[in-house]
Amino acid sequence: VSQLRLTATVAQRRVRDAAKDSANVVISDHARERMAQRGISIRDVLTVLRMGHVDASPTPARVGEWKCTVTKRLASGGRAAGVVTVIAGRSRLIVLTVEWEDGQ
């Protein structure tokens, strides 16, 4: 039995819908450490999740979960941020890490 694939378009819609309510977003300890290290705020993370883009097809994580990177250029500083996220179920997002996409 093969597992159905989640497309980037569907993942993007699910992430944006879930992120409308910040109670659906769980930020891991690792992500919090990287946010502090990289100067990325919770507001930035929520902006990326609510308005960002998923450009590549998500990869399967655990059963019923998908891992993807959501990216968006932020108004503060003009840099592109990436939020590596697990879509868990219909409305839960787990932020694994955050990164600057421009390599600086």
Side-chain angles (χ1 to χ4, degrees):
V1 177
S2 64
Q3 186 175 11
L4 296 176
R5 300 288 306 168
L6 184 66
T7 66
T9 302
V10 172
Q12 180 175 297
R13 184 172 52 245
R14 286 179 57 186
V15 167
R16 288 180 176 184
D17 286 347
K20 287 177 184 175
D21 182 351
S22 60
N24 295 330
V25 180
V26 176
I27 300 177
S28 70
D29 290 340
H30 175 79
R32 287 185 187 281
E33 289 172 11
R34 294 299 172 258
M35 288 165 63
Q37 185 180 57
R38 296 175 174 140
I40 298 173
S41 69
I42 290 176
R43 173 180 264 160
D44 292 334
V45 169
L46 291 173
T47 297
V48 171
L49 294 174
R50 290 172 180 163
M51 298 170 36
H53 301 281
V54 176
D55 294 323
S57 292
T59 57
R62 292 186 218 167
V63 175
E65 296 181 349
W66 296 90
K67 180 178 169 185
C68 62
T69 301
V70 187
T71 60
K72 176 157 181 24
R73 186 163 304 281
L74 298 173
S76 58
R79 294 182 73 185
V83 177
V84 180
T85 305
V86 170
I87 304 167
R90 282 275 175 214
S91 62
R92 187 165 179 233
L93 304 175
I94 304 166
V95 176
L96 300 179
T97 195
V98 298
E99 56 202 15
W100 291 117
E101 294 295 312
D102 56 17
Q104 294 181 20

